[in-house]
Amino acid sequence: MASILFLMRYPLDSWDNLKTKFDGQMAAAEALGHEAWHIGWSREGMYLCRGGERSLLRKCPLARLPGYSKTVLYYDLFEALKCALSTRRFDAVYLRYIPVYGNAPAALKLLKQQGGKLIVEHPTYPPEKGRVTSALRKPVFWYTDRVFARLEKLIDQYALIGDPCGETLHGVPAMNIVNGVSVDQLPPHAPCTGPEICLLALASMSYWQGYDRLIRSLAAYQGPERVRILMVGGDGDGSLPAWQQLAKELGVADQVTFTGPLSGDALNEAVARCDIGVGGLGLHRIGQHLSTTLKLREYMARGLPFVYAVEDPSLPEDDRFCLRLPNDESPIDMQELVAFALRSRTLPGQAEEMRAYARAHMSWEGILSQVFARVGIR
């Protein structure tokens, strides 16, 4: 059994879209027989956590300031790592690529001095494909790249989600992985029977999600079925208010509900009201034509049929489960989505089949076991 510390931005007292992924990864590590620790933060400070355990590593006096979670948090995170390494030994740190400051190399050198391995996950590779950001944040990424260049001699293994890496990155061993899911953390979906067809658009509302295409499709729809779109997620780049305004301008504001971010039981209840999920419809806007997005894996794990646009090599060629739409700016035919939703209502056992597929092909257990094996953890 190995002791593995997962290092990422993990708020303890608020929701983040990526917490489902992080929880799934840590649950998978535990299922593989390892101890999965992480550092979480709140306004009180940084905590070392495992399961229900939580111990304070250091207080963070600036944590209550606006913008802390996108700036000073990352400095405090690596200071907390130093504290954690002073209290216990970890066999490995699994670091999600995040902004880093000049204190990161010193913290990770402590890990290496103790004989621990360093695994770095790039959630979007090459990383510039995922950098849709403001001009003010570009210097942050430039600085992060400079610091990561100093870290590379400490890295034992890269795990890259995206383009083929050829087994190395900047001279460091690398492997391609896909996003995974922990099926048992999500409840199974039951077919809807209500008078409306409801579509679930679940995401941080950013222009590359392309949900304006969905709203325009709804406005053009002339079919007999009543259709509603449930938009679940906070604003990412100003798109949420823009899409609210678009729905008003097109006369469908009463059919598009913006709930804001939801989690836990509230999210599960929202999913239960929907016939199908909607993946990203605008990834072509940032040059992505192949991706393994978390959202689609969560739909599959829940047993919720879905539509999507970008190519995903992990998805089955089974039109009972999912329907692929064009990854471009062409109009979406809402009648096609309605027909897909109505057909899904008539397929008994569909959710169980989708969840079985997710367990077999999309589980974090299988993915992380291969990553850990690369650094000698079995």
Side-chain angles (χ1 to χ4, degrees):
M1 178 177 71
S3 180
I4 302 170
L5 177 65
F6 287 79
L7 198 62
M8 60 280 182
R9 188 179 76 174
Y10 193 100
L12 294 172
D13 301 329
S14 61
W15 178 246
D16 186 285
N17 285 341
L18 289 171
K19 286 179 75 170
T20 299
K21 170 181 176 175
F22 300 149
D23 289 341
Q25 287 181 320
M26 290 185 287
E30 292 277 350
L32 291 169
H34 307 305
E35 292 183 354
W37 297 84
H38 69 282
I39 296 177
W41 68 277
S42 71
R43 290 187 174 186
E44 285 67 46
M46 295 277 174
Y47 292 83
L48 181 63
C49 309
R50 182 189 178 210
E53 299 179 45
R54 181 187 295 190
S55 59
L56 181 66
L57 292 171
R58 71 189 304 267
K59 293 183 178 180
C60 303
L62 301 179
R64 296 177 183 271
L65 295 178
Y68 170 82
S69 65
K70 296 182 179 180
T71 54
V72 183
L73 164 73
Y74 299 108
Y75 179 87
D76 286 344
L77 185 60
F78 282 92
E79 290 300 299
L81 174 60
K82 294 177 185 178
C83 297
L85 291 169
S86 70
T87 62
R88 64 171 57 242
R89 179 186 177 277
F90 296 98
D91 295 290
V93 165
Y94 189 97
L95 169 64
R96 173 185 166 88
Y97 183 86
I98 53 177
V100 291
Y101 289 86
N103 64 335
L108 292 169
K109 282 179 182 177
L110 291 176
L111 168 74
K112 303 300 292 183
Q113 289 168 5
Q114 296 176 0
K117 303 293 186 179
L118 176 57
I119 303 166
V120 175
E121 177 194 298
H122 269 293
T124 304
Y125 176 76
E128 54 267 20
K129 281 193 173 183
R131 290 181 181 172
V132 180
T133 188
S134 66
L136 292 176
R137 295 192 70 199
K138 287 182 179 179
V140 175
F141 288 111
W142 179 89
Y143 178 67
T144 289
D145 288 342
R146 304 289 80 75
V147 176
F148 253 93
R150 294 164 53 197
L151 291 179
E152 283 187 325
K153 62 183 179 182
L154 306 174
I155 299 172
D156 295 283
Q157 182 69 45
Y158 273 117
L160 310 177
I161 300 174
D163 293 350
C165 64
E167 297 299 315
T168 62
L169 176 62
H170 303 151
V172 177
M175 64 184 293
N176 284 104
I177 66 171
V178 296
N179 272 312
V181 70
S182 183
V183 176
D184 293 332
Q185 289 189 318
L186 301 169
H189 182 263
C192 296
T193 58
E196 294 182 329
I197 300 297
C198 190
L199 314 181
L200 173 67
L202 173 63
S204 174
M205 301 300 165
S206 301
Y207 88 106
W208 51 268
Q209 296 289 355
Y211 291 151
D212 52 307
R213 295 181 67 199
L214 193 64
I215 294 170
R216 294 182 189 281
S217 174
L218 177 62
Y221 175 61
Q222 300 294 322
E225 302 292 337
R226 172 79 174 175
V227 179
R228 175 173 296 281
I229 301 173
L230 196 61
M231 306 276 271
V232 178
D235 184 37
D237 59 4
S239 291
L240 191 153
W243 293 343
Q244 289 175 317
Q245 182 61 34
L246 178 65
K248 290 179 182 178
E249 292 174 355
L250 296 179
V252 292
D254 61 330
Q255 294 173 256
V256 184
T257 301
F258 293 84
T259 69
L262 297 177
S263 62
D265 291 342
L267 176 59
N268 293 334
E269 290 170 6
V271 174
R273 299 200 303 269
C274 296
D275 289 276
I276 59 175
V278 182
L281 301 177
L283 287 165
H284 60 281
R285 296 173 179 176
I286 55 172
Q288 288 192 19
H289 299 279
L290 184 148
S291 184
T292 58
T293 61
L294 282 169
K295 180 164 40 186
L296 301 187
R297 277 139 188 79
E298 291 179 18
Y299 291 156
M300 184 69 76
R302 289 178 181 274
L304 177 69
F306 57 90
V307 298
Y308 67 107
V310 70
E311 180 181 353
D312 187 326
S314 298
L315 296 182
E317 294 183 4
D318 192 328
D319 60 7
R320 297 174 304 155
F321 298 169
C322 48
L323 174 68
R324 187 173 175 188
L325 305 174
N327 188 31
D328 54 35
E329 295 296 329
S330 61
I332 294 172
D333 182 0
M334 182 58 69
Q335 181 58 56
E336 185 178 17
L337 274 63
V338 169
F340 176 65
L342 290 173
R343 185 169 69 249
S344 296
R345 289 187 174 192
T346 68
L347 299 176
Q350 182 181 45
E352 289 76 12
E353 287 189 59
M354 293 179 70
R355 286 165 67 83
Y357 183 92
R359 283 192 181 93
H361 301 281
M362 297 176 170
S363 75
W364 275 123
E365 288 91 337
I367 295 165
L368 290 183
S369 65
Q370 297 179 53
V371 176
F372 296 156
R374 291 286 188 101
V375 295
I377 295 174
R378 300 182 185 276

